[in-house]
Each structure stands twice: as C-alpha cells, then as structure tokens.
Amino acid sequence: MKNVTPDFELVDDDLPPRKSFDSEPRLRRLRALAWFLDRAFALGKTRRFGVEPLIGLIPAVGDWIGGIFSLYILYEAARLGISWRVLARMALNILLEVVVGTIPIAGDIFDFIWQANMRNVQLVETHFSTSLKSRPVGGIVLPLIIAAALLLFSAFALGIALGVWLWHLLS
C-alpha cells in the first residue's frame, strides 16, 4: 500500500523553514485539517486540492461551510497566542476566499488555487513560538463571532448582488 503522508510545503521560497509541530498537538491538528481542506487529493503529479473547493460547489451555502472550517483554524491560532496582526492577515485570507468563492465557476477555480487554510497554517508555523502565552477561550469567542458574522454577511451580500446581476443580465 502506498504511503499517503500529507505534503504540506507551500511553494514559496521566501518563507522561512517550517518549525517542528511535534511539541504541540493543536498545531498538528491544524495542519491535518488544512491538508484535508486544501490538499487531500492529487491532480496529476504537481497539483493538489482538498474538500473545500468541492464543498464550495454547493450552491448558496458551500462557501459559507468552507469559511466555518477556516474560522476554526483562525480560532485555534488565536488560542495559541498568535499576534492580532497575524490573525487579521489570516482573517483577510479567509474573507478573500469566501467572497471570491461565491462567484460561480471562477470562485471555485480561485478556491482550488488560493488554498487559504494552507496559507494560514503557514502563517501559524512562521509566528508560533513555545514562549507565546495561550489565550483563554473567553477572550476569543466574541471577536470570532463578529468575524464569522462579517464573513457570512459579506458572502451572502455578494451572492445576492451576483444573483440579481445575473437575473437582470439574462432577462
């Protein structure tokens, strides 16, 4: 049986080398989730994709569902003590993927290429240190709920706007 060890390396020579995840189980879970969402399946020898672009094919709610999984990675990064600046960058990656993902066909192609979850795990790897102080859940829940609401509202508003535009275009 072929060994199916996930390949997590992003193709970006400007990024620093990956730090070891062996000491923190949450980091290993984030990596596994990002791999499942963005890189679980091979397409030829060089491209990989995960279940998130497939979930995004579900009309109206697919990109929202993918956004919720992505927000979990953001939540865990916040609990690990990653800086608010890096968390904001991660949130922008998610927002971009969800909003652009609502565009039929082009958005699905963008999801396939962008892979926000792998980018966000790379950010966590780059900025994680065992000296970071973990944050309690209480201080994270409210900002995460606000971020999720903004994410879902943005995707919903864009979806409605695109639907109205297409309706007028076709009628």
Side-chain angles (χ1 to χ4, degrees):
M1 183 170 178
K2 184 179 176 187
N3 184 3
V4 288
T5 304
D7 175 21
F8 297 114
E9 297 298 322
L10 290 176
V11 182
D12 191 346
D13 296 333
D14 296 333
L15 295 174
R18 178 172 74 188
K19 296 175 186 171
S20 173
F21 276 70
D22 293 338
S23 63
E24 180 58 60
R26 282 189 287 184
L27 295 173
R28 288 193 310 271
R29 283 194 307 270
L30 290 182
R31 244 190 178 312
L33 177 61
W35 179 81
F36 178 71
L37 292 172
D38 288 345
R39 301 232 173 135
F41 309 107
L43 184 64
K45 292 184 178 183
T46 58
R47 293 301 290 166
R48 298 192 70 84
F49 69 97
V51 297
E52 189 168 8
L54 301 176
I55 293 170
L57 293 172
I58 302 170
V61 298
D63 292 299
W64 290 2
I65 294 168
I68 297 298
F69 284 120
S70 297
L71 284 174
Y72 175 75
I73 293 173
L74 181 67
Y75 166 78
E76 284 294 341
R79 289 203 55 211
L80 287 168
I82 300 298
S83 75
W84 291 107
R85 183 182 65 64
V86 174
L87 294 174
R89 185 170 168 196
M90 291 172 68
L92 286 174
N93 284 339
I94 296 167
L95 184 63
L96 182 64
E97 186 171 71
V98 170
V99 170
V100 174
T102 62
I103 301 168
I105 301 170
D108 297 315
I109 294 169
F110 181 78
D111 281 349
F112 175 78
I113 295 168
W114 183 247
Q115 299 186 352
N117 300 302
M118 290 304 296
R119 289 175 185 274
N120 286 345
V121 167
Q122 186 75 42
L123 285 170
V124 172
E125 286 180 339
T126 302
H127 297 282
F128 176 75
S129 167
T130 54
S131 64
L132 290 175
K133 184 178 177 188
S134 287
R135 292 188 183 99
V137 175
I140 298 167
V141 174
L142 182 61
L144 187 62
I145 290 171
I146 291 169
L150 289 173
L151 179 76
L152 295 178
F153 177 75
S154 298
F156 180 72
L158 182 63
I160 295 292
L162 284 172
V164 168
W165 178 73
L166 285 173
W167 180 263
H168 287 300
L169 186 67
L170 296 174
S171 53

